[in-house]
Amino acid sequence: MKNNNINMGYVIFLSLVAALGGFLFGYDTAVVSGTNQQVAKLFNLDEMQLGWYVGCALIGSIGGVSVAGILGDKFGRKRTMLFSAILFSLSAIGCAVSSDFTMLVVSRIFVGVGIGIVSIISPLYISEVAVSKYRGSLVSLYQFGVTVGMVGAYLVNHVLLNVAESGLASLADPSTPTLFEKVFYTESWRAMLGMCAVPSIIFFIVIFFIPESPRWLILQHRNDTAQSILERIYGSIQEAMAQLESTRQMVLSESSTKTGQWAYLFKPAIFKMVLIGSAIAILGQFMGVNAVLYYGPTIFEQSGLSGGDSLFYQVLVGAVNMVTTIIALFIIDKVGRKQLVYWGVSGMIIALLMIAFYFHYGEAMGISSVFLLISFMFYIFCCAISICAVVFVLLSEMFPIRVRGLAMSIAGFSLWIGTYLIGQLTPWMLKHFTPEGTFLLFAVMCIPYMFIMWKLVPETTGRSLEEIEQMISEK
């Protein structure tokens, strides 16, 4: 039934609020790239300790994603997002005032818990309030938030580094700086990490202005409240009642099995989708994107650029990531999830081979570092328009409502395991495999990802969540 009364302004508002969680994810994930060298020098870190500094937040993310689905299913999507906002705020302040490396690591672990939670709950919430026709674009707003957060982090790092360099020259006594001078001049990494407190507090406040997910409310048998929210979304009592009845019947069908949540998860058709979701989640991390985002400045410095130029190049890479995600927002529901992956991952392979070629032959052939920058930007373009835009959309669509939070947590757990391993091992790989060997490995890992998407992942574009659930359960 076609409905022209959909309140898209309201739906976009709900999606943007949840997407702020993506902004915090992006900022806290990317901000470390500008602090690595300062923190390593201040605390005399070796390669493995530097990897631990980057990877400790990912340990927190693994913990956060492990409980996100359970919290979201038990307490609701809205209250779980509020909890994550509190974690982001406290962790940012803790990083800024850290007295030693241990306190810094603990603060980063707590911010990681917040990242892990929003990586599941924010796209899940958007998926459950979105209308079918625009669900791909709306869930992609979360990924857009991630890219804006990353660009914000790169810009903050770049600006604060310049402020620190100019401020150091004006210090009366560099050996005894004030707290302000320490945060913004002598140890500017504190300001870089601490700035996240501002958007974290904003996220906490605006969550109070959105309702709970109507599909979660139906699962809790709070049908009247769910219907009032659906009426505001669809602008029609009849359409709201139809949506409510469709979801309610699906919940009743799942409940009729009289099995527990875990037992239902292990039904062959459902468990198969969990394994597929976990596979595309973890493989996506071994295709290089987080190595580029976490260690971009370090990689650029290895090509002979100065620290300031490296950070500026990283800003450009982040800008391409953000702009490409905007393009993905407009085409994901038209082109389809799988087609975006086919074209995008093919381009990623080409870009990764170009980067490996530069590091192997660039110096001998006198190739400008601009070639490396262009290769990185092409890689990010292909990645952002394909796997980055698609993965959270697919994970929020492909699981039944009864176990959606739990199943997303399992898939998200595998994603963060892969992210942690990449964050921990990239410095070691860059040294022992060399940059060219590392990027060749990333190119090879694109092949099994393409195969799984081709053979095992269903196309979900244009279908309602209930239709997708019915399609999967019949397989």
Side-chain angles (χ1 to χ4, degrees):
M1 180 169 62
K2 188 174 181 180
N3 179 17
N4 296 319
N5 299 316
I6 294 171
N7 188 350
M8 281 305 298
Y10 182 59
V11 175
I12 291 172
F13 168 73
L14 301 183
S15 302
L16 287 173
V17 170
L20 277 175
F23 177 91
L24 297 173
F25 176 156
Y27 186 96
D28 275 310
T29 299
V31 71
V32 293
S33 67
T35 66
N36 289 342
Q37 300 306 314
Q38 291 187 59
V39 170
K41 182 177 180 181
L42 179 66
F43 297 109
N44 298 314
L45 306 183
D46 59 26
E47 290 156 357
M48 292 306 294
Q49 287 175 315
L50 177 59
W52 171 233
Y53 166 63
V54 173
C56 67
L58 304 178
I59 290 292
S61 298
I62 292 170
V65 79
S66 299
V67 300
I70 297 172
L71 293 175
D73 287 343
K74 183 174 180 59
F75 299 107
R77 318 324 189 190
K78 178 177 176 178
R79 279 182 285 186
T80 305
M81 285 192 288
L82 278 171
F83 176 60
S84 71
I86 294 171
L87 288 176
F88 279 118
S89 302
L90 296 179
S91 299
I93 296 170
C95 287
V97 300
S98 293
S99 57
D100 54 34
F101 184 60
T102 300
M103 182 176 177
L104 176 61
V105 166
V106 170
S107 297
R108 290 291 297 166
I109 289 174
F110 275 103
V111 84
V113 175
I115 290 172
I117 290 173
V118 296
S119 72
I120 300 300
I121 300 302
S122 286
L124 177 57
Y125 178 86
I126 298 172
S127 177
E128 292 184 340
V129 301
V131 293
S132 302
K133 183 178 180 181
Y134 303 107
R135 189 177 58 249
S137 296
L138 290 169
V139 177
S140 293
L141 283 173
Y142 169 78
Q143 180 60 28
F144 177 64
V146 174
T147 63
V148 174
M150 288 179 172
V151 173
Y154 298 147
L155 287 172
V156 167
N157 287 351
H158 184 62
V159 170
L160 288 177
L161 182 64
N162 289 334
V163 168
E165 290 175 349
S166 61
L168 282 172
S170 63
L171 287 182
D173 186 2
S175 62
T176 58
T178 64
L179 178 61
F180 178 86
E181 292 169 341
K182 185 175 184 179
V183 170
F184 287 96
Y185 296 164
T186 62
E187 298 177 14
S188 60
W189 61 267
R190 296 180 182 274
M192 296 175 184
L193 296 172
M195 282 294 179
C196 190
V198 176
S200 300
I201 294 171
I202 294 173
F203 184 45
F204 178 81
I205 293 171
V206 296
I207 291 173
F208 286 99
F209 295 91
I210 64 174
E212 183 52 82
S213 160
R215 283 183 167 90
W216 182 82
L217 291 170
I218 295 170
L219 193 61
Q220 304 301 311
H221 308 293
R222 295 164 59 183
N223 294 341
D224 291 342
T225 306
Q227 182 175 332
S228 66
I229 297 168
L230 289 169
E231 286 177 10
R232 187 168 183 187
I233 290 173
Y234 287 96
S236 164
I237 295 176
Q238 292 79 9
E239 182 67 18
M241 292 181 66
Q243 291 292 330
L244 187 149
E245 185 62 21
S246 175
T247 304
R248 194 176 71 85
Q249 288 300 323
M250 190 62 67
V251 171
L252 288 174
S253 174
E254 293 172 3
S255 300
S256 67
T257 61
K258 299 186 183 300
T259 58
Q261 193 180 40
W262 281 98
Y264 186 79
L265 184 76
F266 281 99
K267 288 183 63 177
I270 309 303
F271 188 60
K272 175 184 176 182
M273 296 311 298
V274 173
L275 291 178
I276 293 170
S278 300
I280 63 175
I282 193 169
L283 278 174
Q285 306 314 302
F286 285 91
M287 292 153 67
V289 61
N290 282 318
V292 172
L293 297 176
Y294 293 159
Y295 294 101
T298 301
I299 295 169
F300 283 129
E301 284 186 31
Q302 289 188 9
S303 71
L305 295 169
S306 68
D309 287 340
S310 297
L311 285 177
F312 178 68
Y313 271 27
Q314 191 74 345
V315 170
L316 294 179
V317 169
V320 170
N321 193 12
M322 183 178 70
V323 172
T324 307
T325 304
I326 296 174
I327 298 173
L329 287 175
F330 289 99
I331 66 174
I332 189 171
D333 285 316
K334 297 176 181 178
V335 176
R337 286 54 157 156
K338 296 180 71 169
Q339 283 295 323
L340 282 181
V341 170
Y342 296 154
W343 289 102
V345 175
S346 298
M348 288 170 62
I349 294 172
I350 294 172
L352 288 166
L353 293 176
M354 289 169 61
I355 295 170
F357 176 85
Y358 173 84
F359 276 107
H360 192 74
Y361 295 106
E363 184 176 354
M365 298 177 64
I367 301 174
S368 169
S369 60
V370 174
F371 178 87
L372 179 64
L373 175 62
I374 292 172
S375 300
F376 266 106
M377 290 196 297
F378 178 56
Y379 169 80
I380 289 295
F381 172 84
C382 295
C383 187
I385 208 165
S386 58
I387 65 170
C388 291
V390 167
V391 64
F392 288 111
V393 175
L394 281 176
L395 293 181
S396 68
E397 293 176 332
M398 61 195 297
F399 305 121
I401 186 172
R402 184 177 173 188
V403 292
R404 188 170 293 144
L406 179 60
M408 280 192 70
S409 278
I410 294 171
F413 179 81
S414 68
L415 184 151
W416 284 107
I417 288 291
T419 304
Y420 170 74
L421 291 174
I422 287 297
Q424 186 73 17
L425 294 175
T426 294
W428 184 87
M429 289 193 297
L430 289 172
K431 179 178 180 180
H432 295 280
F433 291 173
T434 70
E436 53 264 46
T438 301
F439 284 98
L440 282 174
L441 175 63
F442 293 153
V444 170
M445 295 305 296
C446 293
I447 298 173
Y449 188 95
M450 287 270 278
F451 180 82
I452 292 173
M453 288 294 299
W454 174 40
K455 287 291 187 181
L456 301 175
V457 177
E459 182 57 78
T460 58
T461 303
R463 300 175 183 266
S464 71
L465 293 177
E466 289 72 28
E467 289 171 341
I468 295 168
E469 183 170 341
Q470 185 68 30
M471 175 181 64
I472 291 171
S473 64
E474 291 174 350
K475 287 192 172 184

